[in-house]
Amino acid sequence: EVAGQFNQAAQVLCEMGDVYFTVSQYPEALSQYNKALSLSNRGDRLSRLAALYGIGYINVSQYNNQEALRYAQEMLDLI
C-alpha cells in the first residue's frame, strides 16, 4: 500500500513536470521530474521510467545530448 502511494505521488509529479515543460518552464519541470525520480526509488519501475523520460526529454530540448543519452541508457537498463 505504501509503495502505491509513492507511485501515485511520482505520477502526479511527472504530470506536473509535463505541464511545466509544455509552457517552457524547464527548470521547474526538471525539478518535478527529479522529485518523481527520487520517489520512484520506493515505487515501481513505470514511475521511474516516466521520470527518466521527462528528464531525458528536457535534456534533448536543451541540446544536452550527452546527458539525454545517459538517461536514455538508464531507461534501457530498466526495461
Side-chain angles (χ1 to χ4, degrees):
E1 184 175 318
V2 172
Q5 292 173 345
F6 284 116
N7 293 340
Q8 286 179 323
Q11 181 180 6
V12 169
L13 288 166
C14 282
E15 290 170 1
M16 290 172 62
D18 293 345
V19 171
Y20 281 122
F21 183 87
T22 300
V23 295
S24 301
Q25 295 197 14
Y26 304 118
E28 291 85 356
L30 187 59
S31 174
Q32 299 305 309
Y33 292 132
N34 279 318
K35 289 176 188 176
L37 186 61
S38 177
L39 284 180
S40 72
N41 288 329
R42 304 175 196 173
D44 71 348
R45 189 170 52 171
L46 291 178
S47 297
R48 186 162 184 79
L49 286 169
L52 290 169
Y53 177 82
I55 295 169
Y57 202 75
I58 286 176
N59 280 291
V60 167
S61 72
Q62 300 295 302
Y63 305 102
N64 298 325
N65 295 330
Q66 286 301 115
E67 194 69 9
L69 181 61
R70 185 172 73 85
Y71 284 99
Q73 185 60 56
E74 191 170 342
M75 288 176 64
L76 287 173
D77 291 344
L78 285 174
I79 295 176

